[in-house]
Amino acid sequence: MTRTVLVVGASLAGHATARALRRSGFDGTVVLIGDEVRRPYDRPPLSKEFLAGRATETDLSLETDDNLRIEWELGSRAIALDPGTSTVTLADGRFLRGDAVVVATGSLARRMPTSLRGVHTLRTLDDAEALRKELLPGARLCVIGAGFVGAEVASTAVDLGLDVTVVEASDTPLLGPLGVLLGAAVAGLHTRHGVPMHCGVAVTRLLGTSHVTGVELADGRVIEADVVVAGIGATPATSWLEGSGLDVTGGLLCDSHGGTAAPNVFGVGDCSSWFDPARGHHHRVEHWTDSRDRPKLVVDALLNGYDPSTAAVLAAPYFWSDQYGVRLQFAGRRRGDETVTFEAGSVDDSDLLAVYWRDGQPVAVLGMDQPRLFGRWRRSLSADPVAA
């Protein structure tokens, strides 16, 4: 009988797991282990409202008036897991033992290999506080990477009065999730707001002695910069699981319920790679909505049991991003062989609705400032794993 659940990771997915446990009637002990000293907070506003000074640390809190009766282990980094005994080893030498373990350690931002001052990544509240001090009007900012974080930082910095340039190694921003055509639509947002966008070129090195002064590109160009933000992706925070016997290739390998090869260990959030029946393979999803919603599936499997051979039908991934006053929304599973139609606007507009089609079925949809139309098309996406 499960009486103690150790949740490793005190961000959105970990906190949502604790909440799901209590809402499912679990009255045992819930221990939430986090390497940051802060209580759980929301990360999406870090690149937007918080960086712009419109939100405080209090505004970011994920905690409500719910009495989740959590035993907190904050500022405690997990360094090892013994699945056989559900024991987590902490960096300070302590051992915590439970009846089940939920791994929700998230991901780690990739950092530029440099010791120059003025070079930042943005993953934690500490990162955001450090960056905010340097986003001064008139400063030259170079953003490396035009993914969600990089694009939102660029947008925020423009509003703050900085001179912003974006560099993206791929041919367009968001090439992976959106493809070339609609990635170009996102690139248009930057250029229409006066932000030079250099795509299809890699960064060779950062220039400067003690403080960054510029970014050298592979084609020889140099972008002068007082501040650099590297939004170059993230890696699953699973190195502490090496030696546990669990498969952490590309993230903690989980079935479609969040279960791992160890019956008492589950994974959720950015660090986990769930089997998606609609894709037919494991897939790591790094979106806020999945980290919020999938803990309910994990808790149901943990408390009530399940048949691992029976695949759960997972909701189509959904994400949003706010850039230059435009709300981007995407839902679905894009594979790369789809055709695209425009139900509103065009690739040159900031208010478009594009639908991705495969075999005559809509499988994904992108909206830019089209909330109602996007909502209707999102609801039409097939839930059938074969069709999706």
Side-chain angles (χ1 to χ4, degrees):
M1 185 175 182
T2 301
R3 295 304 307 160
T4 299
V5 178
L6 306 181
V7 182
V8 188
S11 192
L12 175 62
H15 187 259
T17 299
R19 175 172 287 139
L21 283 164
R22 293 308 188 204
R23 289 184 175 177
S24 296
F26 180 70
D27 61 358
T29 300
V30 177
V31 182
L32 201 56
I33 305 165
D35 56 0
E36 291 187 67
V37 297
R38 290 184 168 95
R39 301 277 276 247
Y41 59 88
D42 211 11
R43 296 186 191 275
L46 293 180
S47 56
K48 302 185 284 283
E49 293 87 355
F50 184 83
L51 209 56
R54 299 192 300 270
T56 66
E57 180 176 350
T58 301
D59 296 327
L60 303 183
S61 176
L62 289 172
E63 298 181 79
T64 62
D65 294 332
D66 296 343
N67 181 15
L68 300 182
R69 307 187 310 281
I70 293 172
E71 292 189 8
W72 297 96
E73 286 286 350
L74 299 178
S76 301
R77 183 168 57 90
I79 61 171
L81 170 65
D82 178 3
T85 60
S86 299
T87 300
V88 174
T89 304
L90 303 182
D92 61 11
R94 289 182 297 141
F95 300 90
L96 300 181
R97 184 171 180 176
D99 301 302
V101 177
V102 178
V103 178
T105 42
S107 57
L108 302 173
R110 293 190 179 97
R111 298 181 179 272
M112 299 291 290
T114 182
S115 59
L116 292 173
R117 297 195 305 275
V119 181
H120 299 264
T121 57
L122 183 55
R123 177 67 183 175
T124 68
L125 190 49
D126 286 343
D127 293 337
E129 289 177 337
L131 175 59
R132 188 164 65 175
K133 294 175 183 177
E134 298 202 43
L135 295 186
L136 303 176
R140 299 166 300 179
L141 169 67
C142 181
V143 177
I144 303 173
F148 304 114
V149 171
E152 290 172 358
V153 169
S155 171
T156 301
V158 167
D159 287 343
L160 292 174
L162 280 80
D163 180 5
V164 181
T165 301
V166 177
V167 178
E168 169 57 49
S170 299
D171 292 336
T172 69
L174 301 174
L175 178 63
L178 301 186
V180 173
L181 178 63
L182 291 173
V186 176
L189 279 178
H190 294 276
T191 56
R192 283 194 291 275
H193 286 82
V195 176
M197 169 74 68
H198 303 285
C199 291
V201 61
V203 170
T204 302
R205 60 177 176 146
L206 302 180
L207 304 178
T209 52
S210 59
H211 195 285
V212 69
T213 59
V215 177
E216 183 180 89
L217 306 184
D219 58 12
R221 287 177 293 168
V222 172
I223 298 171
E224 295 182 344
D226 306 302
V227 186
V228 170
V229 173
I232 53 178
T235 56
T238 55
S239 62
W240 68 284
L241 295 172
E242 294 174 2
S244 67
L246 298 173
D247 190 337
V248 292
T249 305
L252 176 60
L253 204 70
C254 300
D255 57 31
S256 60
H257 301 262
T260 70
N264 55 324
V265 178
F266 296 79
V268 72
D270 293 6
C271 67
S272 62
S273 180
W274 283 37
F275 180 77
D276 187 343
R279 288 188 171 92
H281 59 79
H282 287 82
H283 182 67
R284 195 163 68 91
V285 178
E286 300 178 79
H287 303 317
W288 186 92
T289 48
D290 288 81
S291 291
R292 179 197 63 185
D293 297 339
R294 288 194 182 184
K296 300 182 185 77
L297 293 175
V298 168
V299 166
D300 183 59
L302 189 160
L303 296 180
N304 303 316
Y306 70 105
D307 181 357
S309 66
T310 302
V313 176
L314 303 177
Y318 165 76
F319 65 78
W320 80 95
S321 179
D322 296 312
Q323 302 175 24
Y324 305 102
V326 175
R327 168 61 62 96
L328 281 74
Q329 294 174 285
F330 179 90
R333 295 175 175 88
R334 176 184 168 271
R335 203 166 60 190
D337 57 351
E338 298 83 6
T339 58
V340 176
T341 62
F342 288 89
E343 304 302 318
S346 71
V347 72
D348 298 318
D349 297 325
S350 297
D351 55 347
L352 64 83
L353 193 291
V355 180
Y356 297 78
W357 300 82
R358 191 187 317 126
D359 299 329
Q361 295 292 323
V363 295
V365 57
L366 170 70
M368 294 169 60
D369 270 359
Q370 292 282 356
R372 290 186 178 180
L373 194 54
F374 174 84
R376 290 202 297 270
W377 276 98
R378 182 186 180 188
R379 289 189 293 271
S380 75
L381 297 181
S382 174
D384 180 357
V386 176

